Amino acid sequence: MSDLLLVNDLSVEFATPAGAFQALEGVNFRVPRGRTVALVGESGSGKTVIAQTIMGLLPASGRILSGQVLFDHDKSPDTPPRDLAALSHSDRALRMLRGRDMSMVFQEPMSALSPLHTIGDQIDESARYHLRLSRKAARARAIETLGLVGFPDPARAYHAYPFELSGGLRQRAVIAMAIICRPALLIADEPTTALDVTIQAQILALLQRLQAELDMAVLLITHDLGVVAHLADEIVVLHQGQVMEAGDRQAIFSDPTHPYLRGLLAAVPRLAASPRHAEQVPGAANAAPPESSAPADVHLKTDRRPIISVQGICKGFHSRAARRLPAEGAEPVAAVTDVSFDLCPGECVGLVGESGCGKTTTAKLIMRALMPDAGTIFFNGTDISKFAGHALSSYRTQVQYIFQDPFSSLNPRMTVGDLLCEPLQIHRRGDRASRQARARALMQRVGLDPDHLTRYPHAFSGGQRQRIGIARALALDPQVLICDEPVSALDVTVQARILALLKDLQTELSLTYLFVSHDLAVMRQIADRIIVMQGGRVVETGECDELFENPVHPYTRALLAAVPDPDPDAVFDFADAMSGAAGGPDGWPAPYCDNSHVRVQMKQISATHFVRVFEADAV
């Protein structure tokens, strides 16, 4: 099998205010025709820099020091491969290759798509430019490609704007834009990182199908070893700009030789029960926090009286169109419907479900950032809707929030010291000196250097910024932490350290967690009890081990089936993972999507396991 892409001794550096920084050093790998090669490593390992170099998209501060990027897009033996490293980013030859013979799918589709142009205009632009098609022919090809990537109504989607599509459909649109010219090489840069496991399975099944139908090579950039184990043919492991190990999938997983790769594999969260503290990854960028002296398996549930009790809450929202043109009798869209659960001291309750199922709305209702349309939320026996003034301020010191994206939740114009002191200042706790001392103590508690309090958020890595967010949430000594997808955007090694830190803090400080996530493997590592939400309702709840080992509801079983196991010998297929979930508007069986004609009740399976049963109303 001939090689489509060959990277030889590639070295790249960037000019920074602190001097030259070498991002890649002597990188070598190949991409055979029609095969999938995965670039694996932590953030900052150089994966995206490789993709930028291949596509000729290096920023102005970057330059190639040495090496070749040989692209043999023409199968004719008389045509030698082109050295992409020798072409300027503005070279016409590179512009003709980019989009026609090689293309790229970006991590965040909303950043890759123009909000001012329709999906169709953005997709057929490449066909008109590279294939010289007329507007009519390009439109026909774009609609055909939208159908190829699985749009249910391609002609209608052609005229849609990006904001009108869900996250999964936007990613399908980006893939359509990348493959409309039927390229020989597709570079997929973290194409499913921000997607739910079910949507991830759909997108990866789509990539598998397209690769087979179009005989396309795929360079997959990811840190998800579960995906790699079932999608890649060959794997290249990167760390700090160097190739640590490379080989075929089976060899990499069955016999890893480099300590970094062994640590990387050990840090992957799995659906099977595993130890609380992940193995330290050798050479990783972020040091792990000091280990707690308390036993890891201690659960602080001596008091079973709930600290927070959610009873039958409902919340609906009017669409933008309804707000602009209010119609008489227009019903709001239900985001949360009849949700009830208790949160007891010292436990971690996981709230699981796809995007749009009502997880974050439920968390905001508990925070009193939103008010429920019906139902009641009690804090230590008191209805939080009655709180006002000082009582509300006091409540919010006891219930704090950790956000999904630490970069956007931290003010870039404030130093870390100011960010940690701000809650203390707002709630008038201590003087300047005591607040500074508290900030230093918080930095130490989350495993960061107190001498870095004068730095700004941009000077820290993603994992370090999340630690800062956790430290800020702990500043007021809360009883409850609401963790809203706190590790979804992090690499597996950083993710493992943040989860270990949260467990240590829970034990040391007797904290209670409501942990919101769509990642069931992460939930298995941290949660004591799990609540599964779908379509704004609780469909199943139970103790963590019992729910994972004996899921009852079809939706829970479908979620578990969509999680790829990081074991290449395990039987798993991304298309099969979703095969039992067809029928409803969102890919789920119709009775579980449309609740307008059903009767619902919670059936008790065991002392701690409940499942919501849907029954059609009698006619």
Side-chain angles (χ1 to χ4, degrees), residues 49 252 331 372 394 397 436 560 583:
V49 175
I252 289 290
E331 292 292 328
S394 177
T397 66
Q436 288 290 332
L560 290 168

Side-chain angles (χ1 to χ4, degrees), residues 239-386:
H239 178 56
Q240 295 182 351
Q242 295 180 311
V243 175
M244 296 290 103
E245 197 161 345
D248 69 83
R249 175 182 61 190
Q250 196 65 39
I252 289 290
F253 278 91
S254 62
D255 187 26
T257 58
H258 197 280
Y260 174 76
L261 177 57
R262 291 200 297 269
L264 200 64
L265 290 169
V268 179
R270 301 168 189 264
L271 288 180
S274 62
R276 282 194 182 276
H277 292 291
E279 179 182 335
Q280 174 90 9
V281 178
N286 298 323
E291 290 291 334
S292 167
S293 58
D297 291 326
V298 171
H299 292 275
L300 306 171
K301 303 187 192 64
T302 55
D303 186 357
R304 295 305 299 175
R305 292 173 298 177
I307 187 172
I308 288 179
S309 181
V310 178
Q311 298 184 5
I313 59 171
C314 301
K315 183 64 180 178
F317 297 95
H318 286 283
S319 66
R320 287 189 178 91
R323 290 200 298 269
R324 287 197 307 268
L325 300 170
E328 186 175 349
E331 292 292 328
V333 177
V336 173
T337 304
D338 192 26
V339 168
S340 300
F341 62 88
D342 290 338
L343 196 58
C344 296
E347 74 172 342
C348 176
V349 173
L351 201 56
V352 177
E354 295 176 289
S355 295
C357 72
K359 305 187 304 292
T360 297
T361 300
T362 300
K364 289 180 178 179
L365 288 167
I366 294 173
M367 281 296 300
R368 264 286 302 268
L370 296 172
M371 290 293 287
D373 299 330
T376 310
I377 300 172
F378 294 95
F379 176 71
N380 286 328
T382 304
D383 183 355
I384 69 169
S385 66
K386 309 297 184 187

Side-chain angles (χ1 to χ4, degrees), residues 400-403 406-407 409-411 414-421 423 439 442-443 445-449 452-475 498 501 505:
Q400 286 284 297
Y401 208 95
I402 299 174
F403 296 90
F407 192 73
S409 65
L410 299 175
N411 189 332
M414 296 175 67
T415 65
V416 170
D418 290 339
L419 287 167
L420 297 182
C421 290
L442 288 168
M443 289 286 278
R445 184 173 288 281
V446 298
L448 296 176
D449 189 345
H452 294 167
L453 283 170
T454 56
R455 293 185 177 183
Y456 289 85
H458 73 267
F460 295 87
S461 69
Q464 289 172 328
R465 284 196 291 265
Q466 194 60 282
R467 289 172 186 265
I468 293 167
I470 293 170
R472 183 176 61 177
L474 295 173
I498 296 298
L501 171 64
L505 292 172

Side-chain angles (χ1 to χ4, degrees), residues 10-149:
L10 181 64
S11 297
V12 175
E13 74 171 13
F14 289 87
T16 71
F21 168 72
Q22 190 158 349
L24 298 177
E25 183 178 350
V27 170
N28 295 278
F29 69 91
R30 68 190 186 102
V31 180
R33 295 182 188 276
R35 307 281 280 177
T36 298
V37 175
L39 291 181
V40 176
E42 297 175 285
S43 294
S45 62
K47 305 187 301 294
T48 299
V49 175
I50 290 175
Q52 290 174 334
T53 305
I54 295 170
M55 294 292 292
L57 298 175
L58 275 177
S61 59
R63 71 186 185 98
I64 299 172
L65 294 177
S66 63
Q68 294 178 308
V69 180
L70 301 176
F71 184 51
D72 189 11
H73 66 289
D74 194 329
K75 295 183 180 180
S76 170
D78 299 328
T79 306
R82 278 190 177 272
D83 184 4
L84 303 181
L87 300 177
S88 166
H89 71 278
S90 59
D91 193 303
R92 186 176 184 277
L94 182 58
R95 292 203 309 272
M96 293 305 296
L97 288 173
R98 189 168 53 212
R100 185 189 66 191
D101 298 297
M102 58 182 186
S103 57
M104 190 164 175
V105 176
F106 296 91
Q107 177 176 351
E108 177 46 61
M110 278 303 281
S111 300
L113 295 171
S114 167
L116 304 177
H117 298 84
T118 65
I119 295 295
D121 284 342
Q122 296 180 69
I123 292 174
D124 65 22
E125 181 182 22
S126 292
R128 296 201 308 270
Y129 178 77
H130 289 294
L131 305 180
R132 305 299 181 187
L133 298 181
S134 66
R135 182 173 290 275
K136 182 178 179 180
R139 181 181 184 278
R141 189 177 181 105
I143 292 174
E144 176 194 355
T145 306
L146 286 170
L148 186 64
V149 299

